[in-house]
Amino acid sequence: MIAGSTTKPTTPPQFRVSDERLIKVSSNAAKKITGLLNKQGRSQGVLRVAVVGGGCSGLQYKMDLQDAPANRDFLVESAGIKVVVDPKSALYVTGSELDFIEALEGGGFKVTNPNAATSCSCGESFSA
């Protein structure tokens, strides 16, 4: 090592493998996600599903395409799609199903969440 160098060896992220009891992806959603990953040049990428504060019911879903899981994530493979969920969000999404609906009005990704006590009329947020 060169004197004065602060280069640390990089370690791969430590994640846990889970199953569809955490989150399940429908075939329609899988097709759409695969297309989006390929369009971004991330054919081996993952879909991150997170729950964040906001929306008219208090909590909302955030989805993002990424290259790989991060530390402490749960990794689920469902319908050929790799989905990652952080530990905090996992508390809210356990048992959920992600679907994609093709429609001019009200279409897009939809999460069916058995943990949601209430959800707003737009379907974008929920409370637990």
Side-chain angles (χ1 to χ4, degrees):
M1 194 157 151
I2 300 172
S5 174
T6 59
T7 305
K8 292 184 200 175
T10 58
T11 57
Q14 301 295 311
F15 57 87
R16 294 172 273 186
V17 176
S18 190
D19 59 35
E20 289 183 329
R21 289 177 291 182
L22 178 60
I23 191 163
K24 185 176 181 179
V25 177
S26 73
S27 59
N28 283 344
K31 288 176 198 168
K32 185 66 173 179
I33 295 163
T34 299
L36 292 169
L37 285 166
N38 289 334
K39 188 175 183 178
Q40 288 190 3
R42 295 179 168 168
S43 61
Q44 299 301 310
V46 299
L47 171 70
R48 173 167 302 282
V49 176
V51 174
V52 297
C56 42
S57 292
L59 298 169
Q60 61 187 10
Y61 301 103
K62 180 181 175 190
M63 294 180 223
D64 190 24
L65 300 175
Q66 297 181 340
D67 292 324
N71 278 331
R72 301 183 62 226
D73 278 346
F74 289 99
L75 172 68
V76 175
E77 190 154 346
S78 177
I81 299 299
K82 293 176 186 162
V83 181
V84 294
V85 181
D86 66 86
K88 184 178 172 188
S89 296
L91 297 172
Y92 296 103
V93 301
T94 297
S96 295
E97 181 173 9
L98 176 63
D99 195 9
F100 183 80
I101 299 166
E102 294 268 356
L104 289 175
E105 194 171 312
F109 286 104
K110 299 292 179 192
V111 178
T112 304
N113 187 339
N115 305 305
T118 60
S119 59
C120 65
S121 60
C122 66
E124 299 293 319
S125 66
F126 69 101
S127 68

